[in-house]
Amino acid sequence: MEKQLFIINEVRTNNFNDSQVADKIGALWEEAKQYQQENQTFYGIYMDYESDFSGDYSVRVATDYQAFVGAETILIPQQQYRIFPVENDVFATWQEIWKLPLDRSYVFDYEEYLPDGSILIHIGLNA
């Protein structure tokens, strides 16, 4: 069953051609903090890829609960995902993922920030 998420905010960026990428993503999370509730999960969603991880893409921050009235919703698509636990640093984990020979779909990837403090990165794969 597809899981429904509630979008808090979003930005379009690029990992390699946007010198403000870290600031843009950091600002998304800073704004999202006002909607944080105890024992709730937050999501960093990566979608609308121009090509692959080197092209432009959209980042959205979302929750699995309606943080405010009128929040746009999105469904996590049913596709195969490979899950990477984040040991220390989210960006360092992404850099390791980029090096792997994965058959990525570039449809929908997401980070899952769990209430216990753990973080999982879900990478969409071609079937």
Side-chain angles (χ1 to χ4, degrees):
M1 182 174 141
E2 293 177 323
K3 183 174 189 138
Q4 181 175 354
L5 301 179
F6 298 87
I7 305 300
I8 294 174
N9 51 22
E10 69 179 286
V11 70
R12 187 119 177 114
T13 191
N14 183 296
N15 293 320
F16 303 99
N17 298 327
D18 184 352
S19 63
Q20 300 295 311
V21 64
D23 293 336
K24 287 179 179 180
I25 293 174
L28 287 178
W29 285 104
E30 194 60 38
E31 180 185 339
K33 282 182 184 179
Q34 67 183 309
Y35 300 107
Q36 193 167 8
Q37 294 181 11
E38 192 173 329
N39 297 318
Q40 296 294 334
T41 302
F42 269 74
Y43 297 84
I45 300 168
Y46 301 84
M47 58 188 292
D48 301 327
Y49 287 94
E50 177 182 70
S51 55
D52 59 15
F53 67 88
S54 65
D56 291 356
Y57 61 92
S58 296
V59 183
R60 295 176 172 188
V61 175
T63 63
D64 56 4
Y65 61 94
Q66 189 169 2
F68 56 89
V69 176
E72 177 187 349
T73 61
I74 191 169
L75 297 175
I76 295 177
Q78 290 184 347
Q79 64 174 336
Q80 184 177 349
Y81 292 95
R82 180 158 170 200
I83 301 171
F84 296 86
V86 173
E87 298 297 324
N88 295 311
D89 179 81
V90 173
F91 186 65
T93 304
W94 274 107
Q95 289 178 315
E96 291 303 313
I97 291 168
W98 296 338
K99 295 176 188 175
L100 297 174
L102 300 172
D103 186 17
R104 294 182 58 186
S105 66
Y106 292 102
V107 172
F108 195 95
D109 302 311
Y110 65 100
E111 300 161 348
E112 187 174 24
Y113 293 80
L114 300 165
D116 66 4
S118 61
I119 303 168
L120 301 172
I121 299 177
H122 301 251
I123 300 297
L125 303 174
N126 288 314

